[in-house]
Amino acid sequence: MSRGRMVLLSLVVLLAALLGGAAWYLRPIAPIATGYAAKTVCSAHFVSGRTVDDGLGDLPPNPLVPLLRMSVNPSERTVRTSLLGVWTSTAYATPGLGCTLSDDRPSFSAPTTEVSPPDPGTPWPAGDGPADLPDDVDGAALDAAIATAFAEDDPEGRLRNSRAVVVVRDGALIAERYGDGFAADTPLHGWSMGKSIANAIVGRLVGDGRLDLDDRDLLEEWDGEERADITLDQLLRMTPGLAFDEVYEPDTDATRMLFRPGDTGAYAADQPLVAQPGEHWSYSSGTTNILCDLAQDASGLGTDLAHELVFAPLGMTTATIEPDASGGLICSSFPYATARDWARFGQWFLQDGEWDGAQLLPSGWVEYSTTPVEIADPGTPYGAQWWLNAGPGGQLRMPSVPADAYWASGNEGQQVVVIPSEGLVVVRLGFSGSFSGVEWGLEPLLAGIIDATS
């Protein structure tokens, strides 16, 4: 063989090795990347009503993103994404249920629960009337406080990207502001705020006797194992002892569960014990999806679960929780609603579970939900699917905010904050990718609102 041929053969072998290595590396993460892109753009477009290009802006700064290829079919309501033509993922939009990653179009249909749209001439929350500033509120100070959520003045160059802020005092909508391209009628992604909705769903089922906090032997596949000792209370408080890697990186438990077609609750339920139930606290999206599977089974409501027990009674006409391919609601991560509807949810808890004269949550449920878990991280106090400002020792996560504050919280800085001592509900929605938790500026926002409304 000539030297030229030998060099060419060596180059071919090297190229094949490189391609094989790349394929081996991408095999576990490429379907997650394409699944994330298809699901994100599908929901942004078909749920939030945003343009496809705008939805693409919600993809993370990942080196694989420029290699993605996407097609959107408005008539079929699908988004298909591939990586260089392979590893295709498809998200299917179902009216009223948002988008689902699936190998085939899901067989479930839109929720059957009907809710009349709120009257724009009736004051919020019964209707959708405009915000009305009370005479005893310092309007300029309130505007200045809200402006802190939209200011891009971080010295490290991190962006807040606030999309909505809504302020409710004493049950009345008193102020709201929206980012460019967003409005009062834009349903927005709440991410893990769905965990607090899961709390409410379980609370309603506990109230009518279909579930009990002391229930054990929750899943048939746990029969005869230590996992059978896990209680409903431990799931709510994130202390079941199940393994789950709550890290949003390629090929972790969280991303495998959420961004590949399948059964999210079953994925979480299949995890082994790493601690005795009740003896270790660990925040886990998988735990919440087990809760919603149990609630769907106990109620027999299927994909109507959240609409029937939470959204319809509160008049949250824009709200949905997206299901997985099995029909299980992904309560951990995929709720959508307008800021005004998120505020309705917060107001319900401020009213101790009462709405329009009906006690929908059982007596004491809100107190239970906001009682801190003794073994949780003291720096981030936690109740039952709600975050708390005060830990069991009285330490405050946000010192300039009242101790009784608690909130639903989601990735990218989503919050529904309830402050009973001030009669306040504050909603903030955004896309603060570089900030974590409340660090984007929740404390100064709340402190300023309190000062302006007290």
Side-chain angles (χ1 to χ4, degrees):
M1 181 182 297
S2 69
R3 183 175 180 179
R5 285 193 167 188
M6 289 181 63
V7 171
L8 179 60
L9 180 59
S10 297
L11 290 173
V12 170
V13 171
L14 177 61
L15 179 60
L18 290 173
L19 290 174
W24 177 85
Y25 171 77
L26 290 172
R27 186 172 62 178
I29 66 173
I32 294 171
T34 59
Y36 189 105
K39 161 67 185 64
T40 298
V41 173
C42 181
S43 297
H45 186 56
F46 291 109
V47 179
S48 297
R50 299 161 60 195
T51 66
V52 171
D53 286 344
D54 196 34
L56 286 169
D58 286 356
L59 299 183
N62 186 291
L64 294 181
V65 170
L67 305 178
L68 297 175
R69 301 293 179 266
M70 182 174 293
S71 64
V72 180
N73 189 318
S75 61
E76 292 185 1
R77 298 175 64 85
T78 60
V79 176
R80 288 185 174 86
T81 307
S82 67
L83 184 65
L84 298 176
V86 293
W87 292 297
T88 299
S89 293
T90 305
Y92 297 86
T94 302
L97 284 176
C99 293
T100 298
L101 286 170
S102 181
D103 295 327
D104 302 294
R105 179 169 290 281
S107 59
F108 41 76
S109 56
T112 57
T113 308
E114 294 185 5
V115 185
S116 300
D119 180 1
T122 301
W124 186 97
D128 230 6
D132 185 17
L133 188 71
D135 293 338
D136 64 341
V137 171
D138 185 335
L142 182 57
D143 288 344
I146 294 173
T148 64
F150 292 85
E152 301 297 1
D153 55 1
D154 180 66
E156 298 179 25
R158 298 173 297 179
L159 297 177
R160 289 188 173 90
N161 284 323
S162 289
R163 292 174 172 173
V165 171
V166 163
V167 181
V168 173
R169 193 191 70 165
D170 298 333
L173 178 66
I174 65 170
E176 59 188 334
R177 177 174 167 179
Y178 298 92
D180 292 342
F182 301 92
D185 61 354
T186 306
L188 291 169
H189 194 179
W191 284 102
S192 287
M193 293 202 299
K195 293 178 172 67
S196 301
I197 296 174
N199 162 289
I201 289 169
V202 172
R204 295 220 57 194
L205 295 175
V206 167
D208 65 17
R210 284 183 280 184
L211 288 173
D212 189 280
L213 290 175
D214 294 326
D215 283 344
R216 300 173 185 266
D217 300 311
L218 298 173
L219 296 172
E220 185 177 343
E221 56 265 42
W222 292 351
D223 287 351
E225 302 180 11
E226 288 183 280
R227 293 184 297 180
D229 290 331
I230 296 171
T231 66
L232 188 69
D233 170 70
Q234 289 163 352
L235 290 173
L236 282 161
R237 294 191 172 279
M238 299 288 188
T239 62
L242 293 170
F244 195 84
D245 186 14
E246 188 74 20
V247 176
Y248 287 82
E249 295 178 356
D251 204 28
T252 62
D253 283 328
T255 54
R256 283 195 296 268
M257 178 183 72
L258 295 176
F259 299 112
R260 300 196 69 168
D263 185 326
T264 55
Y267 181 97
D270 194 45
Q271 302 306 305
L273 282 177
V274 292
Q276 288 298 309
E279 295 184 3
H280 176 69
W281 182 87
S282 181
Y283 183 79
S284 163
S285 289
T287 296
T288 305
N289 289 332
I290 296 172
L291 278 172
C292 273
D293 272 9
L294 292 170
Q296 283 179 286
D297 289 344
S299 66
L301 290 172
T303 54
D304 269 3
L305 178 73
H307 288 83
E308 179 75 19
L309 298 184
V310 177
F311 303 151
L314 303 189
M316 295 174 63
T317 58
T318 68
T320 193
I321 295 179
E322 296 172 320
D324 60 32
S326 75
L329 296 185
I330 309 177
C331 293
S332 70
S333 309
F334 293 155
Y336 283 77
T338 62
R340 286 178 167 215
D341 270 349
W342 281 116
R344 287 183 171 93
F345 180 69
Q347 184 65 28
W348 182 33
F349 270 74
L350 181 66
Q351 295 171 181
D352 202 29
E354 181 272 335
W355 195 263
D356 197 23
Q359 188 63 44
L360 301 179
L361 292 173
S363 177
W365 185 259
V366 174
E367 180 181 3
Y368 159 77
S369 302
T370 56
T371 299
V373 179
E374 294 284 344
I375 58 175
D377 184 343
T380 54
Y382 199 75
Q385 308 285 301
W386 287 86
W387 296 95
L388 314 179
N389 197 32
Q395 70 276 30
L396 298 183
R397 185 173 181 183
M398 295 187 290
S400 59
V401 175
D404 63 349
Y406 60 95
W407 57 92
S409 185
N411 184 36
E412 309 282 4
Q414 322 311 319
Q415 277 107 17
V416 175
V417 184
V418 181
I419 311 178
S421 59
E422 298 290 337
L424 285 171
V425 173
V426 178
V427 176
R428 187 273 180 172
L429 303 169
F431 187 61
S432 304
S434 299
F435 289 100
S436 60
V438 304
E439 301 305 319
W440 65 267
L442 181 62
E443 185 171 4
L445 169 68
L446 296 177
I449 290 172
I450 291 168
D451 286 345
T453 57
S454 296

